Amino acid sequence: MKIGILAEQNDQRVAIVPGIAKKLQELGCKIVLENDAGLQAGFSNDKYEDAEVASRVDVIKNADLLISIEPLSEEELKQAKKDVLTVAEYKPFFDKEVSERLKKIGVRAISMDMIPRTTLAQSMDVLSSMASIAGYKAVLSAALKLPRYFPMMITAAGSIKPAKVLILGAGVAGLQAIATAKRLGAQVEAFDTRSAAKQEVQSLGARFVEVAGAKEDTGAGGYAVEQDEDFIKRQREEVQKRAMNADVIITTAQVRGRKAPILVPKSTVEAMKPGSVIVDLAASTGGNCELTQDRKIIQHKGIWIIGDSNLANEMPEDASTLYANNLLNFLKLIIKEGELNLNFEDEIVNSSFITH
Ligand code: NAD
């Protein structure tokens, strides 16, 4: 079987790094690499030993398994081999018609964001690996913009108080943001609607902010559920109180398949100190801040608002390495002796296929 590795069109990462391409070759597969697919992530063509390098069109036309992070366009998929299997992040929770469209074109598709968030599938969970990088980068992006120090400083020229960082949503990205902000010496507070997050926040040395009455569903696979208007209103009031003293707010609150809740309305932004920074990792699903503009850095009355849900793209080498490791762990489930071997009784395989 020939595996095609494609270059991303709007991302610096690459789905398969050279070390993982080699492991796929050891599994009996042939590799065809789109020219310079790994370059922006730091991996030139020659690092992919024994791989054939070809143009994008030729990779698409000749591979049996096409791997990318961003989905290919429908025009491109129409050029692929009959029965091709494609692996990408199709985000069917947000793009509800994607399976139907792919079925019409006649391709089979695996969506990496559909791998269940279970202990067994942890090593394949690209959402977690990328969210962790985003949480780390969010803190660094905020620190670069902030006109103040993060750590406390006692110098001959005077003393500086530590920055106060407020984190909304303590899932994978939020917890990494807490850990990173603490390492930089900030005082950190965090909030989440899932009670399980409290202990995790506290174990990282941050303060957990409580708002009573959050709805939870243990059957939601660890995900948060949508809150009612009364709760969101009380939560916004609590956030506003803390935002007035915060130097940085990092928002990560998402509810799968829904628009992100607005936790930082315009009035809260305007109550913040000039020079403060908001990093909104929920930007692509509407944003947790009312003023967020997706993929843009804006300033509102002296407050910076960074809207970016894809900060893993800013650390492409390690992001690609982790992504590729996740992919290999998954591909080992469906490749035997260089050919596809699909077992739909397996929960991970079954959940990840969005058309077959
Ligand atoms: P996510 O990106 O969907 O959401 C980020 C966080 O925002 C979550 O913690 C969520 O509870 C929180 N949130 C949602 N609405 C909120 C609101 N109104 N106010 C405050 N916070 C709000 O979540 P995620 O980071 O992908 O992780 C979700 C859960 O899945 C976590 O419990 C995580 O530990 C779990 N998980 C488990 C595994 C595994 O077992 N393999 C892997 C990954 C994640």
Side-chain angles (χ1 to χ4, degrees):
M1 177 174 65
K2 210 174 229 190
I3 299 183
I5 305 172
L6 290 153
E8 302 303 313
Q9 304 299 291
N10 299 294
D11 201 303
Q12 302 187 78
R13 293 171 295 168
V14 63
I16 298 286
V17 299
I20 298 301
K22 192 156 190 244
K23 293 211 163 110
L24 290 169
Q25 285 162 332
E26 284 162 12
L27 288 180
C29 303
K30 292 204 170 94
I31 300 288
V32 51
L33 175 77
E34 179 179 342
N35 186 30
D36 285 343
L39 200 58
Q40 301 222 67
F43 307 106
S44 50
N45 289 346
D46 58 324
K47 297 268 175 2
Y48 290 82
E49 286 169 26
D50 302 324
E52 175 191 342
V53 177
S55 68
R56 186 171 181 86
V57 181
D58 284 342
V59 175
I60 293 172
K61 279 189 179 154
N62 294 314
D64 306 293
L65 175 59
L66 279 169
I67 301 186
S68 59
I69 301 173
E70 300 163 330
L72 304 192
S73 72
E74 288 174 25
E75 284 64 38
E76 286 178 321
L77 286 173
K78 282 178 190 156
Q79 318 245 314
K81 269 182 156 179
K82 195 174 168 285
D83 249 3
V84 71
L85 176 60
T86 75
V87 182
E89 286 184 17
Y90 285 99
K91 302 194 167 73
F93 263 98
F94 297 100
D95 183 357
K96 304 244 186 312
E97 279 96 46
V98 66
S99 300
E100 280 312 308
R101 292 200 309 272
L102 293 171
K103 252 185 228 159
K104 261 192 207 148
I105 300 170
V107 297
R108 296 180 293 169
I110 286 170
S111 195
M112 286 304 286
D113 50 325
M114 291 303 284
I115 286 182
R117 313 293 290 275
T118 57
T119 311
L120 211 58
Q122 224 161 358
S123 64
M124 312 166 197
D125 184 354
V126 292
L127 294 180
S128 288
S129 331
M130 298 303 111
S132 185
I133 296 176
Y136 167 81
K137 270 286 180 181
V139 173
L140 300 187
S141 306
L144 282 177
K145 274 267 173 264
L146 193 70
R148 298 185 271 276
Y149 263 123
F150 257 51
M152 180 175 78
M153 286 283 167
I154 298 171
T155 78
S159 300
I160 303 285
K161 286 188 197 144
K164 289 197 167 77
V165 176
L166 175 64
I167 310 232
L168 303 176
V172 182
L175 290 173
Q176 187 58 256
I178 295 172
T180 308
K182 288 291 294 180
R183 278 187 215 122
L184 280 181
Q187 284 178 356
V188 185
E189 296 186 312
F191 176 79
D192 202 293
T193 49
R194 290 176 303 107
S195 53
K198 180 175 180 177
Q199 222 188 347
E200 292 167 337
V201 167
Q202 289 173 338
S203 70
L204 288 169
R207 193 162 170 276
F208 189 72
V209 182
E210 306 216 32
V211 178
K215 271 195 287 180
E216 285 195 66
D217 177 3
T218 45
Y223 284 106
V225 291
E226 204 164 27
Q227 303 297 318
D228 58 33
E229 219 9 77
D230 171 60
F231 178 85
I232 293 280
K233 185 167 164 276
R234 285 184 292 118
Q235 188 183 355
R236 279 190 199 135
E237 285 164 9
E238 195 58 46
V239 169
Q240 169 128 359
K241 270 192 235 156
R242 282 153 208 286
M244 285 158 72
N245 293 315
D247 299 290
V248 170
I249 303 183
I250 293 174
T251 72
T252 77
Q254 307 217 53
V255 180
R256 206 176 194 198
R258 311 257 163 154
K259 191 181 169 302
I262 298 284
L263 305 178
V264 186
K266 186 170 169 221
S267 55
T268 300
V269 177
E270 291 177 354
M272 291 178 79
K273 291 179 281 185
S276 302
V277 184
I278 298 171
V279 183
D280 194 339
L281 296 183
S284 68
T285 54
N288 293 136
C289 172
E290 189 181 358
L291 301 177
T292 294
Q293 291 182 29
D294 191 23
R295 294 170 186 249
K296 291 219 168 93
I297 300 175
I298 59 162
Q299 219 181 6
H300 178 81
K301 301 204 171 162
I303 318 295
W304 288 104
I305 305 171
I306 303 174
D308 198 336
S309 296
N310 193 23
L311 283 173
N313 173 45
E314 309 275 313
M315 211 170 86
E317 184 176 331
D318 281 347
S320 302
T321 301
L322 296 175
Y323 202 102
N325 281 338
N326 289 145
L327 264 172
L328 175 70
N329 290 328
F330 173 75
L331 292 173
K332 278 185 189 160
L333 278 184
I334 62 164
I335 297 176
K336 288 264 150 33
E337 289 164 17
E339 296 300 328
L340 283 180
N341 178 10
L342 305 174
N343 171 16
F344 290 105
E345 308 269 291
D346 183 314
E347 191 211 348
I348 303 172
V349 175
N350 199 26
S351 320
S352 59
F353 265 82
I354 58 166
T355 60
H356 54 82

